[in-house]
Short mmCIF file of all heavy atoms in Angstrom, two decimals:
data_model
loop_
_atom_site.label_atom_id
_atom_site.label_comp_id
_atom_site.label_asym_id
_atom_site.label_seq_id
_atom_site.Cartn_x
_atom_site.Cartn_y
_atom_site.Cartn_z
N GLY A 77 91.73 57.97 141.73
CA GLY A 77 92.45 57.54 140.54
C GLY A 77 93.20 56.25 140.76
O GLY A 77 93.23 55.36 139.88
N LEU A 80 90.66 53.43 140.89
CA LEU A 80 90.16 53.14 139.55
C LEU A 80 91.18 52.33 138.76
O LEU A 80 90.83 51.49 137.92
CB LEU A 80 89.85 54.44 138.81
CG LEU A 80 89.21 54.34 137.43
CD1 LEU A 80 87.89 53.58 137.50
CD2 LEU A 80 88.99 55.72 136.83
N ALA A 90 84.02 52.03 130.91
CA ALA A 90 83.17 53.19 130.64
C ALA A 90 83.48 54.33 131.60
O ALA A 90 83.50 55.50 131.20
CB ALA A 90 81.70 52.78 130.74
N VAL A 91 83.75 54.00 132.87
CA VAL A 91 84.09 55.03 133.85
C VAL A 91 85.40 55.72 133.46
O VAL A 91 85.52 56.95 133.56
CB VAL A 91 84.20 54.41 135.26
CG1 VAL A 91 84.71 55.43 136.26
CG2 VAL A 91 82.85 53.86 135.71
N ILE A 92 86.36 54.93 133.01
CA ILE A 92 87.65 55.50 132.58
C ILE A 92 87.45 56.44 131.40
O ILE A 92 88.01 57.55 131.35
CB ILE A 92 88.64 54.37 132.23
CG1 ILE A 92 89.04 53.62 133.50
CG2 ILE A 92 89.88 54.95 131.54
CD1 ILE A 92 89.93 52.42 133.24
N VAL A 93 86.63 56.03 130.45
CA VAL A 93 86.35 56.86 129.28
C VAL A 93 85.69 58.17 129.70
O VAL A 93 86.02 59.26 129.19
CB VAL A 93 85.47 56.10 128.27
CG1 VAL A 93 84.97 57.04 127.17
CG2 VAL A 93 86.24 54.95 127.65
N VAL A 94 84.76 58.10 130.65
CA VAL A 94 84.06 59.31 131.11
C VAL A 94 85.04 60.28 131.76
O VAL A 94 85.03 61.48 131.46
CB VAL A 94 82.93 58.93 132.09
CG1 VAL A 94 82.39 60.18 132.79
CG2 VAL A 94 81.81 58.21 131.36
N PHE A 95 85.90 59.78 132.63
CA PHE A 95 86.86 60.67 133.29
C PHE A 95 87.86 61.24 132.29
O PHE A 95 88.26 62.41 132.41
CB PHE A 95 87.58 59.94 134.42
CG PHE A 95 86.81 59.89 135.69
CD1 PHE A 95 86.41 58.68 136.25
CD2 PHE A 95 86.45 61.06 136.36
CE1 PHE A 95 85.69 58.63 137.43
CE2 PHE A 95 85.73 61.03 137.54
CZ PHE A 95 85.35 59.81 138.07
N ASN A 96 88.27 60.43 131.32
CA ASN A 96 89.17 60.95 130.29
C ASN A 96 88.49 62.06 129.49
O ASN A 96 89.12 63.06 129.13
CB ASN A 96 89.62 59.83 129.36
CG ASN A 96 90.62 58.90 130.01
OD1 ASN A 96 91.24 59.24 131.01
ND2 ASN A 96 90.78 57.71 129.46
N ALA A 97 87.20 61.86 129.20
CA ALA A 97 86.46 62.88 128.46
C ALA A 97 86.30 64.16 129.28
O ALA A 97 86.39 65.27 128.74
CB ALA A 97 85.09 62.34 128.04
N LEU A 98 86.11 64.00 130.58
CA LEU A 98 85.92 65.18 131.45
C LEU A 98 87.20 65.99 131.62
O LEU A 98 87.14 67.13 132.08
CB LEU A 98 85.41 64.73 132.82
CG LEU A 98 83.96 64.23 132.87
CD1 LEU A 98 83.61 63.72 134.25
CD2 LEU A 98 82.99 65.33 132.44
N MET A 99 88.34 65.43 131.24
CA MET A 99 89.57 66.21 131.27
C MET A 99 89.47 67.41 130.33
O MET A 99 90.12 68.43 130.55
CB MET A 99 90.77 65.34 130.86
CG MET A 99 91.14 64.28 131.88
SD MET A 99 92.51 63.24 131.31
CE MET A 99 93.86 64.43 131.25
N GLY A 100 88.67 67.27 129.30
CA GLY A 100 88.47 68.37 128.35
C GLY A 100 87.17 69.11 128.55
O GLY A 100 86.69 69.78 127.63
N LEU A 101 86.60 69.01 129.74
CA LEU A 101 85.33 69.70 130.04
C LEU A 101 85.49 71.20 129.82
O LEU A 101 86.36 71.83 130.41
CB LEU A 101 84.92 69.43 131.48
CG LEU A 101 83.62 70.11 131.97
CD1 LEU A 101 82.42 69.53 131.24
CD2 LEU A 101 83.48 69.93 133.48
N PRO A 102 84.66 71.81 128.96
CA PRO A 102 84.76 73.26 128.73
C PRO A 102 84.52 74.02 130.04
O PRO A 102 83.55 73.74 130.76
CB PRO A 102 83.67 73.54 127.70
CG PRO A 102 83.43 72.22 127.03
CD PRO A 102 83.65 71.19 128.09
N PRO A 103 85.36 74.99 130.36
CA PRO A 103 85.20 75.73 131.62
C PRO A 103 83.84 76.40 131.76
O PRO A 103 83.28 76.43 132.86
CB PRO A 103 86.32 76.77 131.55
CG PRO A 103 87.36 76.15 130.68
CD PRO A 103 86.60 75.37 129.65
N VAL A 104 83.29 76.93 130.66
CA VAL A 104 82.00 77.60 130.77
C VAL A 104 80.89 76.61 131.11
O VAL A 104 79.92 76.96 131.80
CB VAL A 104 81.66 78.36 129.47
CG1 VAL A 104 82.56 79.58 129.30
CG2 VAL A 104 81.75 77.45 128.25
N VAL A 105 81.03 75.37 130.66
CA VAL A 105 80.04 74.34 131.01
C VAL A 105 80.14 74.00 132.48
O VAL A 105 79.12 73.88 133.18
CB VAL A 105 80.24 73.09 130.14
CG1 VAL A 105 79.30 71.97 130.59
CG2 VAL A 105 80.01 73.41 128.67
N ALA A 106 81.38 73.86 132.97
CA ALA A 106 81.57 73.61 134.41
C ALA A 106 80.99 74.76 135.23
O ALA A 106 80.33 74.55 136.26
CB ALA A 106 83.05 73.42 134.72
N ALA A 135 83.95 75.38 141.38
CA ALA A 135 84.03 75.30 139.92
C ALA A 135 85.40 74.83 139.46
O ALA A 135 85.52 73.97 138.56
CB ALA A 135 83.71 76.67 139.32
N GLN A 136 86.46 75.35 140.06
CA GLN A 136 87.80 74.92 139.69
C GLN A 136 88.04 73.46 140.07
O GLN A 136 88.68 72.71 139.31
CB GLN A 136 88.84 75.82 140.34
CG GLN A 136 88.94 77.20 139.71
CD GLN A 136 90.23 77.92 140.08
OE1 GLN A 136 90.98 77.48 140.94
NE2 GLN A 136 90.47 79.03 139.43
N SER A 137 87.53 73.05 141.22
CA SER A 137 87.67 71.64 141.63
C SER A 137 86.98 70.71 140.64
O SER A 137 87.49 69.63 140.33
CB SER A 137 87.10 71.44 143.03
OG SER A 137 87.78 72.23 143.98
N LEU A 138 85.82 71.14 140.14
CA LEU A 138 85.10 70.34 139.14
C LEU A 138 85.93 70.17 137.87
O LEU A 138 85.88 69.12 137.22
CB LEU A 138 83.76 71.01 138.82
CG LEU A 138 82.83 70.28 137.85
CD1 LEU A 138 82.43 68.92 138.40
CD2 LEU A 138 81.59 71.12 137.56
N LEU A 139 86.68 71.18 137.52
CA LEU A 139 87.53 71.11 136.33
C LEU A 139 88.79 70.29 136.56
O LEU A 139 89.24 69.55 135.68
CB LEU A 139 87.92 72.52 135.89
CG LEU A 139 86.85 73.36 135.20
CD1 LEU A 139 87.34 74.79 135.06
CD2 LEU A 139 86.51 72.78 133.84
N ILE A 140 89.39 70.41 137.75
CA ILE A 140 90.68 69.80 138.00
C ILE A 140 90.57 68.32 138.37
O ILE A 140 91.41 67.50 137.97
CB ILE A 140 91.41 70.53 139.15
CG1 ILE A 140 91.55 72.01 138.83
CG2 ILE A 140 92.79 69.93 139.40
CD1 ILE A 140 92.01 72.83 140.02
N THR A 141 89.54 67.95 139.12
CA THR A 141 89.45 66.58 139.65
C THR A 141 89.53 65.50 138.58
O THR A 141 90.26 64.51 138.75
CB THR A 141 88.18 66.43 140.50
OG1 THR A 141 88.20 67.38 141.57
CG2 THR A 141 88.08 65.03 141.08
N PRO A 142 88.82 65.62 137.44
CA PRO A 142 88.97 64.59 136.40
C PRO A 142 90.40 64.47 135.87
O PRO A 142 90.86 63.38 135.53
CB PRO A 142 88.01 65.06 135.30
CG PRO A 142 87.02 65.91 135.99
CD PRO A 142 87.77 66.59 137.07
N ILE A 143 91.12 65.59 135.82
CA ILE A 143 92.52 65.56 135.37
C ILE A 143 93.36 64.79 136.37
O ILE A 143 94.17 63.91 135.99
CB ILE A 143 93.06 67.00 135.21
CG1 ILE A 143 92.29 67.74 134.11
CG2 ILE A 143 94.55 66.98 134.90
CD1 ILE A 143 92.67 69.20 133.98
N ILE A 144 93.19 65.09 137.65
CA ILE A 144 93.94 64.38 138.70
C ILE A 144 93.63 62.89 138.68
O ILE A 144 94.52 62.05 138.77
CB ILE A 144 93.63 64.97 140.08
CG1 ILE A 144 93.97 66.47 140.14
CG2 ILE A 144 94.37 64.22 141.17
CD1 ILE A 144 95.43 66.79 140.04
N ILE A 145 92.35 62.55 138.55
CA ILE A 145 91.94 61.14 138.56
C ILE A 145 92.55 60.39 137.38
O ILE A 145 93.16 59.32 137.55
CB ILE A 145 90.40 61.03 138.54
CG1 ILE A 145 89.81 61.51 139.86
CG2 ILE A 145 89.96 59.59 138.26
CD1 ILE A 145 88.29 61.59 139.86
N SER A 146 92.41 60.93 136.18
CA SER A 146 92.87 60.22 134.99
C SER A 146 94.39 60.08 134.95
O SER A 146 94.91 59.01 134.61
CB SER A 146 92.37 60.95 133.73
OG SER A 146 90.96 60.94 133.67
N LEU A 147 95.10 61.14 135.28
CA LEU A 147 96.56 61.07 135.23
C LEU A 147 97.10 60.20 136.37
O LEU A 147 98.10 59.49 136.19
CB LEU A 147 97.14 62.48 135.32
CG LEU A 147 96.83 63.40 134.13
CD1 LEU A 147 97.51 64.76 134.31
CD2 LEU A 147 97.27 62.77 132.81
N THR A 148 96.45 60.23 137.53
CA THR A 148 96.86 59.35 138.63
C THR A 148 96.65 57.90 138.26
O THR A 148 97.50 57.04 138.53
CB THR A 148 96.07 59.68 139.91
OG1 THR A 148 96.34 61.03 140.29
CG2 THR A 148 96.44 58.75 141.04
N ARG A 149 95.52 57.61 137.61
CA ARG A 149 95.27 56.23 137.17
C ARG A 149 96.37 55.74 136.24
O ARG A 149 96.84 54.61 136.35
CB ARG A 149 93.91 56.16 136.47
CG ARG A 149 93.54 54.75 135.97
CD ARG A 149 92.37 54.79 135.02
NE ARG A 149 92.65 55.63 133.86
CZ ARG A 149 93.40 55.23 132.83
NH1 ARG A 149 93.93 54.02 132.82
NH2 ARG A 149 93.58 56.03 131.81
N SER A 150 96.80 56.60 135.34
CA SER A 150 97.86 56.22 134.41
C SER A 150 99.17 55.93 135.14
O SER A 150 99.87 54.95 134.84
CB SER A 150 98.06 57.35 133.39
OG SER A 150 99.10 57.04 132.50
N VAL A 151 99.52 56.78 136.12
CA VAL A 151 100.75 56.57 136.89
C VAL A 151 100.68 55.27 137.68
O VAL A 151 101.63 54.47 137.70
CB VAL A 151 101.00 57.76 137.84
CG1 VAL A 151 102.13 57.45 138.82
CG2 VAL A 151 101.31 59.02 137.03
N THR A 187 103.99 65.96 139.22
CA THR A 187 103.72 66.46 137.88
C THR A 187 102.22 66.47 137.59
O THR A 187 101.71 67.40 136.96
CB THR A 187 104.44 65.58 136.83
OG1 THR A 187 105.83 65.52 137.15
CG2 THR A 187 104.27 66.13 135.43
N VAL A 188 101.52 65.45 138.06
CA VAL A 188 100.06 65.39 137.90
C VAL A 188 99.40 66.58 138.61
O VAL A 188 98.53 67.26 138.05
CB VAL A 188 99.52 64.06 138.47
CG1 VAL A 188 97.99 64.08 138.53
CG2 VAL A 188 100.02 62.89 137.65
N ILE A 189 99.84 66.84 139.83
CA ILE A 189 99.27 67.94 140.61
C ILE A 189 99.56 69.28 139.94
O ILE A 189 98.70 70.17 139.87
CB ILE A 189 99.82 67.91 142.04
CG1 ILE A 189 99.34 66.65 142.75
CG2 ILE A 189 99.38 69.15 142.81
CD1 ILE A 189 100.02 66.40 144.08
N LEU A 190 100.78 69.44 139.41
CA LEU A 190 101.14 70.68 138.74
C LEU A 190 100.33 70.88 137.46
O LEU A 190 100.03 72.01 137.08
CB LEU A 190 102.63 70.69 138.43
CG LEU A 190 103.56 70.84 139.64
CD1 LEU A 190 105.01 70.70 139.22
CD2 LEU A 190 103.33 72.16 140.34
N ALA A 191 99.97 69.78 136.81
CA ALA A 191 99.11 69.89 135.61
C ALA A 191 97.74 70.44 136.01
O ALA A 191 97.18 71.30 135.32
CB ALA A 191 98.98 68.53 134.94
N GLY A 192 97.21 69.93 137.11
CA GLY A 192 95.93 70.45 137.59
C GLY A 192 96.05 71.90 138.04
O GLY A 192 95.15 72.71 137.79
N GLY A 194 98.14 74.14 136.91
CA GLY A 194 98.24 74.99 135.71
C GLY A 194 96.89 75.22 135.07
O GLY A 194 96.59 76.34 134.63
N ARG A 195 96.07 74.17 135.02
CA ARG A 195 94.72 74.32 134.45
C ARG A 195 93.89 75.31 135.27
O ARG A 195 93.20 76.18 134.73
CB ARG A 195 94.03 72.96 134.41
CG ARG A 195 92.54 73.00 134.02
CD ARG A 195 92.34 73.36 132.57
NE ARG A 195 90.94 73.48 132.23
CZ ARG A 195 90.17 72.47 131.77
NH1 ARG A 195 90.68 71.26 131.65
NH2 ARG A 195 88.91 72.68 131.46
N ALA A 196 93.98 75.19 136.59
CA ALA A 196 93.20 76.06 137.46
C ALA A 196 93.66 77.51 137.37
O ALA A 196 92.85 78.44 137.35
CB ALA A 196 93.27 75.57 138.90
N GLU A 199 92.36 79.41 134.37
CA GLU A 199 90.92 79.37 134.18
C GLU A 199 90.29 80.76 134.29
O GLU A 199 90.63 81.56 135.14
CB GLU A 199 90.31 78.43 135.22
CG GLU A 199 88.82 78.52 135.40
CD GLU A 199 88.06 78.45 134.09
OE1 GLU A 199 88.54 77.82 133.14
OE2 GLU A 199 87.00 79.09 134.02
#
Side-chain angles (χ1 to χ4, degrees):
L80 185 59
V91 173
I92 292 175
V93 170
V94 169
F95 278 118
N96 287 342
L98 289 176
M99 290 177 66
L101 179 67
V104 290
V105 175
Q136 286 197 351
S137 299
L138 183 61
L139 285 170
I140 304 169
T141 301
I143 296 174
I144 301 293
I145 291 173
S146 296
L147 295 182
T148 299
R149 180 193 59 79
S150 178
V151 170
T187 305
V188 171
I189 295 169
L190 289 175
R195 172 70 184 269
E199 165 50 29

